[in-house]
Each structure stands twice: as structure tokens, then as C-alpha cells.
Amino acid sequence: MENIRPSDNDYIKNSSKKVIETVNYNGKYVDVTTIRNRIISMSIGIIALVSVAVLIFL
């Protein structure tokens, strides 16, 4: 058998593929960035509520 080496063009095509990380969430596969964005949004909302509560009581 010959050793077949892929051409540079094939390497460029294969290296530009994007890998999407997913998580099984409620029986569906969800992109990790979606979960990360939800967590960040909820934490910002909680921080805002706590800061408003502190401002009201002080």
C-alpha cells in the first residue's frame, strides 16, 4: 500500500471546521455558549437585585 499524504488544500479545508460543544439539557442538545450566557445573565440580574435592595435599606 502507498502512504497517501493529504494535500495542503485538504488540510486547510479540514482545519477550518468548527467544533461545537454541546450539553444534554432537558433531553435536548444545547450549545454551551447558550447555557453560559444564561448563567451570566442570571448572575447579573441577581447582583442588580441585591444592589437595589442594599440601596433601599441603607
Side-chain angles (χ1 to χ4, degrees):
M1 286 204 101
E2 291 182 14
N3 288 337
I4 300 174
R5 182 176 173 210
S7 67
D8 291 336
N9 194 19
D10 290 338
Y11 178 74
I12 292 170
K13 286 180 186 176
N14 290 334
S15 65
S16 64
K17 291 181 182 177
K18 182 179 178 183
V19 175
I20 300 174
E21 296 180 11
T22 58
V23 176
N24 191 358
Y25 179 73
N26 287 340
K28 295 186 285 185
Y29 287 105
V30 181
D31 191 12
V32 172
T33 56
T34 304
I35 302 296
R36 187 180 310 135
N37 290 339
R38 286 184 186 173
I39 291 171
I40 291 171
S41 298
M42 288 187 342
S43 62
I44 289 172
I46 291 170
I47 290 170
L49 287 174
V50 168
S51 64
V52 168
V54 168
L55 287 175
I56 290 173
F57 290 119
L58 290 179

